[in-house]
C-alpha cells in the first residue's frame, strides 16, 4: 500500500535534484567563464527588496507588479517583495554603492533564484533561476550587440544550436508617447475585438497588447501601427547601428515589431532568444536597453543595457541530449569489524588528501552488503579491511574485473592505487 505523502513542495517551486544540479553547475560554470572573459564581475543582491523598488521600475501596470509579486509585510510594517527580476536590484546596488565613481561602464553578472507568482506550466515556475549580465554607464549601441553576442557565446559553449534572435526597438521618452497615442487610437477603434485583459491594457499599458497571445487579439495586432515607423532620429540611428553590429558579428536576427517585453524600464533595443522548434518553453533569454532606469531610481542619467537567461529552460534542453555523468569513483573501501571500521575512517581521509575519489559504506556491518554496494557503483577496485588485516598492517585489494585479490601493506595502498589508476 503506498503511503500518503504529507508534505509537498509549494506549487510552482521545485527541488533541484542531483541529476539537474549537475546541469545547473555546468551552466553556472560557463556563465562565469564567459562573464570573466568579457570583464564582468559578480554581484549577488538580496532575495528580498522593498516592494517599491519594483513598483517604480518594472512598472505599476506590468504583469509582474499587477499579478506576479510575492509580497510580505515585516513586523516593522515594511512591504517587501521576493525579487521577480534582477535588473532593478542591480541598478539599486549600483547607486547605493556609488559605482558611478568607478571606471565606466560597470559590468556585473549574477546567478540566483527569482520569484514570480505565475500560473505554473511548461518552462514557467514560481521560483526559477536566472543569470544576467548588466553593462551600466555607457550608451553605445555596440554594447547592445555585445550583450546579445554574450548569450550566443554561452549557448554555443553549451552546444545549444538553432537559435532565433528576435529584436525590436521600443523607442524612448521622446518618440514612444507618439507611438502610444497612435496605437491607443487604433486599439480603441477595435476594442470590441480584444480580450478583457487587453481592454484594460489599452488604458494602463497599451504596448503590452502587442504581445498578447489570445488569437482574437493577434488578429487585431497584425494590422496595428508599428513602432519602428515612429522612432525619433536618435532611436532610429541607435537601432540601425545595433543591427549593423549584429550583422558584423554574424548573428542573424528577426525584426519583431510585436516584441515589447512588458516592463516599463526598457528603452530602445529589446531582444529575446529562443530555440527553433522549442518556442513552447518560451524565451531562453531576453533583455534590452534601459537608459531611463537611473532617472527613476536615483534621478541620475545612467545609460545601460543587459539581459537575463532562464536556467530551468536551458537545463530542459541540456537534459534532452546529455545524460547526467557524475564523476564515477573507481575505488570502494569495505571494512569488517569495529577495529577495521576505525582504520577505514582514517584511511578514507588519507584518500581524500591524495585526491582519489573513493566510496565507502562505513555505516554497514555486513561485508556482503558492502560488496553488493561496490558492484552497483561499478568500481574497478575494492579494498577490504578485516580485523586480521588491521593486526597485520595490510589491506586486501580486489580487482573487480579479474577477481584477483592481493594483500598490500597498508602504508603502500595509496601509492599502489595511484599507480593502478594511472595505468588504466
Ligand atoms: P524575463 O525577465 O521575463 O525576460 O526573464 C528572463 C528569462 O528568465 C526568460 O527568458 C526565461 O528564460 C526565464 N524565466 C522568466 N520567467 C520564468 C519563469 N516563471 N519560470 C522559468 N523561467 C523563467
Amino acid at each position: 500500500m503506498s503511503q500518503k505523502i504529507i508534505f509537498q513542495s509549494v506549487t510552482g517551486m521545485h527541488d533541484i535534484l542531483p541529476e539537474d544540479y549537475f546541469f545547473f553547475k555546468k551552466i553556472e560554470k560557463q556563465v562565469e567563464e564567459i562573464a570573466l572573459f568579457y570583464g564582468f564581475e559578480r554581484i549577488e543582491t538580496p532575495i528580498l527588496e522593498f516592494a517599491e523598488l519594483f513598483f517604480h521600475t518594472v512598472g505599476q501596470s506590468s504583469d509582474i507588479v499587477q499579478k506576479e509579486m510575492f509580497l510580505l509585510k515585516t513586523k516593522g510594517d515594511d512591504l517587501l517583495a521576493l525579487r521577480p527580476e534582477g535588473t532593478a536590484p542591480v541598478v539599486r546596488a549600483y547607486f547605493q554603492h556609488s559605482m558611478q565613481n568607478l571606471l565606466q561602464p560597470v559590468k556585473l553578472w549574477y546567478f540566483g533564484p527569482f520569484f514570480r507568482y505565475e500560473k505554473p506550466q511548461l518552462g514557467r515556475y514560481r521560483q526559477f533561476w536566472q543569470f544576467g549580465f548588466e553593462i551600466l554607464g555607457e550608451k553605445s549601441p555596440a554594447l547592445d550587440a555585445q550583450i546579445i553576442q554574450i548569450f550566443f557565446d554561452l549557448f554555443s559553449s553549451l552546444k545549444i544550436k538553432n537559435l532565433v534572435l528576435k529584436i525590436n526597438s521600443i523607442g524612448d521618452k521622446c518618440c514612444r508617447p507618439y507611438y502610444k497615442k497612435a496605437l491607443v487610437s487604433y486599439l480603441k477603434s477595435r476594442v470590441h475585438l480584444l480580450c478583457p485583459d487587453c481592454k484594460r491594457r489599452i488604458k494602463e499599458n497599451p504596448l503590452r497588447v502587442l504581445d498578447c497571445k489570445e488569437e482574437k487579439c493577434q488578429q487585431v495586432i497584425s494590422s496595428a501601427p508599428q513602432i519602428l515607423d515612429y522612432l525619433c532620429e536618435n532611436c532610429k540611428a541607435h537601432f540601425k547601428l545595433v543591427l549593423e553590429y549584429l550583422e558584423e558579428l554574424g548573428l542573424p536576427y528577426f525584426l519583431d515589431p510585436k516584441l515589447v517585453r512588458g516592463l516599463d524600464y526598457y528603452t530602445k533595443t529589446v531582444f529575446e532568444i529562443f530555440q527553433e522548434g522549442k518556442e513552447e518553453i518560451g524565451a531562453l533569454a531576453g533583455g534590452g536597453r534601459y537608459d531611463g532606469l537611473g532617472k527613476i531610481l536615483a534621478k541620475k542619467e545612467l545609460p545601460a543595457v543587459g539581459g537575463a537567461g532562464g536556467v530551468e529552460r536551458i537545463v530542459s534542453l541540456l537534459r534532452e541530449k546529455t545524460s547526467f555523468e557524475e564523476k564515477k569513483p573507481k575505488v570502494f573501501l569495505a571494512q569488517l569489524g569495529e577495529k577495521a571500521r576505525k582504520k577505514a575512517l582514517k584511511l578514507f581521509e588519507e584518500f581524500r588528501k591524495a585526491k582519489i575519489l573513493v566510496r565507502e559504506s562505513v555505516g554497514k556491518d555486513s561485508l556482503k552488503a558492502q560488496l553488493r554496494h561496490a558492484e552497483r557503483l561499478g568500481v574497478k577496485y575494492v579494498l577490504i579491511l578485516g580485523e586480521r588485516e588491521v593486526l597485520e598492517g595490510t589491506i586486501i585489494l580486489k580487482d573487480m574485473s579479474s577477481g584477483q585479490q592481493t594483500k598490500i601493506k597498508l602504508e603502500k595502498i595509496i601509492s599502489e592505487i595511484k599507480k593502478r589508476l594511472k595505468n588504466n
Side-chain angles (χ1 to χ4, degrees):
M1 201 171 65
S2 75
Q3 249 188 327
K4 193 168 180 297
I5 299 169
I6 304 173
F7 289 110
Q8 302 252 349
S9 63
V10 174
T11 308
M13 303 200 175
H14 59 104
D15 300 309
I16 306 170
L17 298 174
E19 56 267 35
D20 276 344
Y21 203 74
F22 168 77
F23 294 114
F24 266 68
K25 286 275 292 238
K26 193 169 170 159
I27 297 168
E28 187 176 12
K29 189 167 158 268
Q30 293 301 336
V31 169
E32 178 166 25
E33 236 168 61
I34 286 165
L36 289 177
F37 181 79
Y38 279 92
F40 285 75
E41 291 180 297
R42 187 159 188 168
I43 183 168
E44 284 306 328
T45 61
I47 282 170
L48 285 168
E49 294 275 358
F50 288 112
E52 287 279 319
L53 175 71
F54 303 107
F55 295 161
H56 288 300
T57 56
V58 170
Q60 290 284 3
S61 59
S62 64
D63 281 0
I64 288 184
V65 167
Q66 290 256 318
K67 315 188 262 202
E68 297 170 4
M69 293 251 274
F70 278 94
L71 295 170
L72 62 100
K73 265 255 166 78
T74 64
K75 286 179 188 160
D77 234 14
D78 287 323
L79 185 62
L80 305 184
L82 285 174
R83 57 183 191 180
E85 61 95 49
T87 303
V90 167
V91 176
R92 194 255 320 126
Y94 174 92
F95 287 113
Q96 186 172 337
H97 304 288
S98 306
M99 292 189 215
Q100 65 272 33
N101 298 332
L102 304 175
L103 192 66
Q104 305 293 300
V106 172
K107 294 175 158 187
L108 300 169
W109 73 280
Y110 56 83
F111 191 109
F114 291 83
F115 305 84
R116 293 184 196 169
Y117 194 82
E118 298 196 77
K119 189 164 165 239
Q121 51 192 296
L122 185 69
R124 214 164 270 286
Y125 303 98
R126 290 186 176 167
Q127 175 175 341
F128 57 97
W129 287 63
Q130 271 190 356
F131 55 87
F133 304 94
E134 314 287 354
I135 306 181
L136 307 141
E138 219 154 67
K139 61 176 192 288
S140 165
L143 300 180
D144 305 28
Q146 193 176 58
I147 283 285
I148 294 171
Q149 169 77 65
I150 288 172
F151 282 102
F152 271 79
D153 282 355
L154 174 74
F155 292 131
S156 141
S157 74
L158 293 168
K159 301 194 175 48
I160 294 176
K161 298 195 179 108
N162 304 327
L163 298 172
V164 178
L165 165 63
K166 293 186 182 172
I167 192 163
N168 192 20
S169 171
I170 54 166
D172 62 8
K173 61 180 186 309
C174 296
C175 51
R176 204 183 314 155
Y178 294 105
Y179 173 66
K180 264 192 187 166
K181 216 166 155 193
L183 180 65
V184 167
S185 138
Y186 169 82
L187 294 173
K188 277 188 174 162
S189 70
R190 285 158 179 80
V191 66
H192 56 289
L193 301 172
L194 297 172
C195 73
D197 268 350
C198 282
K199 282 184 181 139
R200 178 179 49 80
R201 285 176 185 140
I202 295 184
K203 217 166 114 211
E204 295 171 357
N205 194 351
L207 260 65
R208 269 289 279 120
V209 175
L210 296 178
D211 66 5
C212 177
K213 304 286 173 284
E214 292 277 331
E215 176 64 35
K216 55 184 189 172
C217 297
Q218 288 283 327
Q219 279 184 15
V220 175
I221 297 157
S222 61
S223 331
Q226 297 198 355
I227 185 134
L228 293 179
D229 297 328
Y230 288 78
L231 294 184
C232 59
E233 284 313 312
N234 181 16
C235 288
K236 213 185 275 175
H238 184 98
F239 196 46
K240 186 166 169 279
L241 280 171
V242 174
L243 300 183
E244 280 176 24
Y245 296 137
L246 292 176
E247 278 158 31
E248 191 63 32
L249 290 166
L251 301 176
Y253 54 81
F254 282 102
L255 280 184
D256 182 353
K258 286 185 277 182
L259 182 66
V260 289
R261 303 228 350 106
L263 312 189
D264 276 9
Y265 59 60
Y266 283 116
T267 53
K268 297 183 177 157
T269 321
V270 286
F271 70 89
E272 277 180 351
I273 301 171
F274 295 79
Q275 189 182 46
E276 205 180 332
K278 287 280 176 192
E279 287 81 1
E280 80 276 10
I281 63 167
L284 302 180
R289 182 159 276 283
Y290 47 92
D291 293 345
L293 196 47
K295 260 269 157 52
I296 302 172
L297 281 183
K299 298 197 170 49
K300 293 199 172 106
E301 283 299 333
L302 178 70
V305 63
V311 180
E312 282 82 355
R313 294 187 191 177
I314 300 172
V315 167
S316 74
L317 298 181
L318 296 182
R319 211 194 290 120
E320 277 176 16
K321 48 192 195 80
T322 335
S323 62
F324 168 51
E325 339 147 350
E326 191 199 14
K327 210 170 162 202
K328 283 224 160 103
K330 296 210 167 53
V331 185
F332 186 90
L333 177 56
Q335 40 48 54
L336 194 63
E338 211 39 55
K339 284 199 184 103
R341 194 189 325 259
K342 281 184 189 141
K343 250 295 177 272
L345 280 168
K346 216 163 150 237
L347 184 58
F348 187 70
E349 270 310 293
E350 284 168 31
F351 274 112
R352 188 185 61 76
K353 285 186 195 139
K355 296 195 171 41
I356 300 172
L357 199 55
V358 174
R359 283 283 166 271
E360 44 65 42
S361 53
V362 284
K364 286 197 170 65
D365 295 325
S366 137
L367 187 60
K368 216 165 136 195
Q370 292 179 71
L371 293 180
R372 249 200 326 265
H373 192 146
E375 228 162 89
R376 273 189 71 168
L377 290 172
V379 295
K380 177 103 181 69
Y381 302 106
V382 175
L383 303 176
I384 305 164
L385 252 183
E387 302 268 321
R388 182 201 280 183
E389 285 72 32
V390 173
L391 285 176
E392 290 173 357
T394 60
I395 190 162
I396 297 168
L397 192 159
K398 179 170 180 182
D399 184 323
M400 295 298 273
S401 33
S402 65
Q404 201 179 38
Q405 295 202 164
T406 330
K407 256 198 186 171
I408 312 263
K409 279 221 165 315
L410 198 55
E411 69 263 25
K412 295 259 165 64
I413 191 63
I414 299 223
S415 55
E416 177 65 27
I417 289 286
K418 259 191 193 159
K419 195 167 81 198
R420 291 191 183 219
L421 290 178
K422 209 167 154 200
N423 292 341
N424 255 286

